[in-house]
Amino acid sequence: MTTVETAPATPLTWRPPAGAVWSGRWVDGASTMPVHDPEDGRLLGHVTDTSPTEVGQAVTDVATAVASGASWPAWRRREALEEAAALVLRHRERLAEVISREGCKTLREANGEVSRAAETLRLSARQTDRLTGETLPFSDTSRGEGRLGWYTREPVGVVAAITPFNDPLNLVAHKVGPALAGGNGVVLKPAEATPLTALAFAEILLDAGVPAGRLAVVPGTGSGAGHALVSHPLVDLVSFTGGHRTGNAVASAAGAKKTLMELGGNNAVLVLDDADTRAAAQSVVAGAFGVAGQNCLSVQRVFVAAGIAAPFLRDVIAATGKLRVGRKADPRTDIGPLISEREARRVAEWVREARERGAVVHTGGRRDGAFHWPTVLTDVPADAKVMTEEIFGPVLVVEPIDTVDEAVARANDTRYGLQAGVFTTALDTALDIAARLRVGAVMINDSSDFRIDAMPFGGPKRSGVGREGVRYAVEAMTEPKVVAVRRGA
């Protein structure tokens, strides 16, 4: 495994016109905050640290635009989103650079995110012709006699979107795309660490024809801009992706508003005794360590049949040992930094805690600045943090199990329920396990780290409220309106 390499930083090829944007105006607020490259701490630029007063102005402007009655028909929304998808791909190089430099993704991973964001926008555009209602059965009751009616789907109004650092383009697209497709206005507060990507995306959306009044980006802190945004009385729906503790704070500040929340996972993969251990190991390693484990779908726990545990573990260790840790811009790099040195220290502390309580570190367990080497553990106590909490870092726990029932019980023994994976050649067994796992999605003969942007996304328990995924987000971001006509009145 390689050591961390350093190289002189180069300036970004794209800079935002100003540190925030609303009503089509690029605004430098009263205060600013720096944006750094987590790889080496070098300064990339400054954005507006949007104050509560400035957030209030942005929300009011968007709400006014939505309430003005200015026509933005569905076909124009579709065209704007389709054009935005094309522009995202046209500006792939600059977007990938910004994603990688301010965040934790390798340049290769950032390029993949650009492709997914374009797909998310295309999927959003396709939803505009599905905003249909249906006629209502007034004649099915004597009280409805002489009436006819229907319902339509109308925008909720103003959507507040709060996004995380790990997918700073595609997860923004997953909130903004469906909100705009539904005819809403959007006020976006991106993650503190990765606001430049969101501002670049806003410029693309405006160039694509999104009305200036319907979009605002207000960078800032969670306690400042974030709290002011979700608590604003003109916000109709809050869409949040992040940790469950912050989710609790968002829900408390928002009050009685509609919310969509994706709050993470502690995802398990079950490897049964008839599985191809080498193929399963390769999939698990890819699913555990992509984006240095900073992914809500990352594999964190693996429960493997005792009879194949030894060869499976050998394959996992071998595949992990081949991963290259290094600079994000190096095309040979597999594992880049965590989003900050503080987060890398936290991950190292969780590993240390597990080790001191008897866990065995088979590979990794090393930290250098913001980098943490991919780590494989066994013999981890059931109540250790690396087993019970979402680690959001490059750490994988492998544990042998004796029966399928034990595997299911241990996979379900978490406060999260986002996704899971099952490796087996027995279809009936796989479907039985899928029915018993309390998660939002089960991937058969794949790791938990798989998603297409069209599927409903989310999970029960601590993993969230409602479902994202383009079609399902559009539905949540619109409301039925009934029209009833009394004939002969």
Side-chain angles (χ1 to χ4, degrees):
M1 198 176 299
T2 66
T3 58
V4 176
E5 302 172 8
T6 59
T10 55
L12 287 170
T13 57
W14 175 85
R15 297 275 183 173
V21 60
W22 60 81
S23 293
R25 302 189 306 273
W26 288 89
V27 180
D28 284 318
S31 299
T32 63
M33 61 183 191
V35 182
H36 295 96
D37 187 332
E39 181 173 295
D40 52 24
R42 299 192 187 190
L43 181 68
L44 299 176
H46 290 82
V47 297
T48 297
D49 184 2
T50 317
S51 70
T53 299
E54 291 165 336
V55 169
Q57 184 62 60
V59 173
T60 300
D61 286 359
V62 171
T64 300
V66 171
S68 69
S71 178
W72 192 33
W75 68 270
R76 288 198 181 275
R77 294 177 230 156
R78 183 184 68 248
E79 287 189 347
L81 290 167
E82 288 173 344
E83 177 64 13
L87 288 175
V88 162
L89 294 178
R90 191 177 307 163
H91 295 292
R92 172 190 294 278
E93 187 173 334
R94 86 169 193 184
L95 286 170
E97 179 197 16
V98 177
I99 291 167
S100 182
R101 289 288 300 282
E102 71 171 347
C104 48
K105 288 191 171 182
T106 67
L107 195 56
R108 174 161 42 87
E109 290 169 331
N111 267 288
E113 184 178 350
V114 172
S115 297
R116 283 192 60 183
E119 181 176 346
T120 299
L121 291 170
R122 287 194 297 268
L123 289 169
S124 298
R126 293 173 193 164
Q127 294 303 312
T128 58
D129 66 352
R130 299 179 185 177
L131 294 171
T132 58
E134 59 185 42
T135 57
L136 296 169
F138 284 93
S139 63
D140 196 40
T141 172
S142 61
R143 293 182 297 109
E145 189 173 350
R147 292 172 172 84
L148 59 86
W150 57 88
Y151 76 84
T152 57
R153 296 209 68 87
E154 305 294 323
V156 296
V158 178
V159 172
I162 301 181
T163 53
F165 67 82
N166 57 316
D167 283 304
L169 182 63
N170 191 40
L171 287 182
V172 170
H174 262 286
K175 298 183 185 304
V176 174
L180 294 175
N184 301 284
V186 190
V187 183
L188 166 68
K189 194 207 86 66
E192 294 173 43
T194 55
L196 295 174
T197 303
L199 290 169
F201 184 48
E203 190 172 25
I204 284 172
L205 289 169
L206 294 172
D207 288 346
V210 172
R214 289 182 180 259
L215 178 66
V217 181
V218 290
T221 65
S223 59
H227 184 275
L229 176 58
V230 302
S231 61
H232 198 286
L234 295 179
V235 166
D236 299 288
L237 180 147
V238 176
S239 179
F240 169 77
T241 298
H244 75 93
R245 290 183 182 86
T246 306
N248 288 337
V250 167
S252 177
K257 290 186 177 79
K258 293 181 71 173
T259 57
L260 287 175
M261 294 193 183
E262 191 275 287
L263 303 177
N266 179 356
N267 306 300
V269 168
L270 284 59
V271 183
L272 305 191
D273 55 11
D274 61 345
D276 180 331
T277 58
R278 183 163 297 178
Q282 292 287 343
S283 180
V284 162
V285 167
F289 300 129
V291 200
Q294 297 163 111
N295 181 356
C296 58
L297 296 179
S298 290
V299 182
Q300 186 168 329
R301 301 171 297 144
V302 179
F303 301 108
V304 54
I308 60 169
F312 175 80
L313 181 60
R314 283 196 301 270
D315 289 339
V316 165
I317 294 169
T320 303
K322 293 177 182 178
L323 296 175
R324 182 182 179 88
V325 178
R327 292 189 300 113
K328 294 176 289 183
D330 188 335
R332 300 169 297 174
T333 295
D334 299 299
I335 308 290
L338 273 74
I339 194 61
S340 68
E341 185 172 348
R342 181 181 66 182
E343 284 300 295
R345 287 197 302 267
R346 177 191 59 78
V347 170
E349 173 59 26
W350 288 20
V351 171
R352 183 195 63 77
E353 177 212 36
R355 175 184 271 167
E356 289 180 351
R357 297 183 59 195
V360 177
V361 178
H362 292 271
T363 187
R366 171 187 170 193
R367 182 185 71 84
D368 183 358
F371 291 81
H372 194 288
W373 268 248
T375 300
V376 178
L377 305 175
T378 60
D379 302 300
V380 176
D383 60 348
K385 286 180 181 173
V386 294
M387 285 291 276
T388 61
E389 299 296 330
E390 181 182 37
I391 193 165
F392 227 64
V395 178
L396 176 67
V397 176
V398 179
E399 295 293 331
I401 46 92
D402 292 320
T403 66
V404 169
D405 288 345
E406 180 189 357
V408 172
R410 296 198 63 184
N412 282 336
D413 187 19
T414 174
R415 288 173 288 184
Y416 296 91
L418 194 52
Q419 294 196 173
V422 180
F423 285 88
T424 178
T425 59
L427 180 59
D428 286 349
T429 301
L431 295 178
D432 175 66
I433 291 172
R436 295 164 63 192
L437 287 172
R438 194 175 174 212
V439 293
V442 179
M443 304 298 144
I444 296 172
N445 291 321
D446 213 337
S447 83
S448 61
D449 185 29
F450 179 79
R451 174 189 182 186
I452 63 170
D453 296 289
M455 65 191 253
F457 183 67
K461 300 190 281 188
R462 187 183 276 186
S463 283
V465 178
R467 291 294 186 272
E468 291 198 337
V470 174
R471 169 186 165 189
Y472 311 93
V474 170
E475 183 171 320
M477 292 175 178
T478 56
E479 296 178 314
K481 177 189 283 185
V482 173
V483 176
V485 179
R486 184 178 179 184
R487 291 176 292 178

